Amino acid sequence: DTAVSQTPKYLVTQMGNDKSIKCEQNLGHDTMYWYKQDSKKFLKIMFSYNNKELIINETVPNRFSPKSPDKAHLNLHINSLELGDSAVYFCASSQRTATNEKLFFGSGTQLSVL
Amino acid sequence: GDSVTQMEGPVTLSEEAFLTINCTYTATGYPSLFWYVQYPGEGLQLLLKATKADDKGSNKGFEATYRKETTSFHLEKGSVQVSDSAVYFCALSGRGGGGSQGNLIFGKGTKLSVKP
């Protein structure tokens, strides 16, 4: 039933590890995103994919690599995790029509790097 | 570059009080403006939006008017409820504009707590 689902909900790991966060949307949307929300609730876009192609890639360390196997999935892989990567990561999707566009967010993955 | 500035929280109100959360923006061109709400433990949800000057967005008793002359989009509600407790984000459409929400630029969020 969940429109945009991401797993895991919580992720606790050690510095230097590699981890992945998965995201799936069942809304039939063409575009998916990853956002990062820091401890002060500041939310910033990281990546955007449209039909499996990268269209937005903000200034993000290349340790972060998004992968979109199909337009319903956008996974985020993070290599060599650092303390500063601790945050809540939100996946989102949207479908733009001639008259409207609405962004749907997942419930977030809280990443804690120790 | 484009940016959004919101009033700092937290904001604590009693039930049925009047709510205003200030939001001002800096942008080139004519962005669309949005308010998103994040309830505890959930992702963000679109609350309302306005796509051009003098438009008023409204939903669930919340309203905001796109004021180009003051570059503002303040959120208001006449009578808040405990269930309105959440974090509220003001946002504008970034480069590529045209109302596209994908490249949103968010404010830092304002936490609202409503007491019974």
Side-chain angles (χ1 to χ4, degrees), chain A residues 34-51:
Chain A
W34 278 108
Y35 280 83
K36 178 180 179 181
Q37 185 178 44
D38 64 22
S39 59
K40 296 182 179 178
K41 297 291 187 182
F42 187 55
L43 198 66
K44 190 171 182 181
I45 191 168
M46 301 173 69
F47 301 103
S48 170
Y49 268 73
N50 182 271
N51 276 322

Side-chain angles (χ1 to χ4, degrees), chain A:
Chain A
D1 289 332
T2 305
V4 181
S5 59
Q6 46 183 117
T7 56
K9 191 170 178 64
Y10 300 97
L11 183 54
V12 181
T13 188
Q14 301 286 330
M15 267 196 324
N17 285 349
D18 302 338
K19 290 294 180 185
S20 292
I21 307 172
K22 295 185 177 181
C23 179
E24 175 181 5
Q25 54 95 4
N26 62 7
L27 298 166
H29 289 168
D30 287 337
T31 309
M32 296 184 71
Y33 314 84
W34 278 108
Y35 280 83
K36 178 180 179 181
Q37 185 178 44
D38 64 22
S39 59
K40 296 182 179 178
K41 297 291 187 182
F42 187 55
L43 198 66
K44 190 171 182 181
I45 191 168
M46 301 173 69
F47 301 103
S48 170
Y49 268 73
N50 182 271
N51 276 322
K52 303 195 302 175
E53 289 190 22
L54 181 66
I55 56 173
I56 292 177
N57 182 1
E58 294 297 319
T59 306
V60 175
N62 58 14
R63 297 181 295 103
F64 290 79
S65 53
K67 287 188 169 49
S68 183
D70 55 62
K71 73 174 192 177
H73 295 83
L74 182 62
N75 303 323
L76 183 64
H77 189 75
I78 315 170
N79 289 328
S80 304
L81 278 155
E82 300 178 357
L83 293 177
D85 297 332
S86 296
V88 181
Y89 292 84
F90 286 98
C91 179
S93 72
S94 71
Q95 182 75 29
R96 193 173 183 192
T97 67
T99 56
N100 197 16
E101 183 184 12
K102 187 174 175 180
L103 214 60
F104 290 80
F105 282 83
S107 57
T109 296
Q110 185 167 328
L111 172 64
S112 299
V113 182
L114 307 177

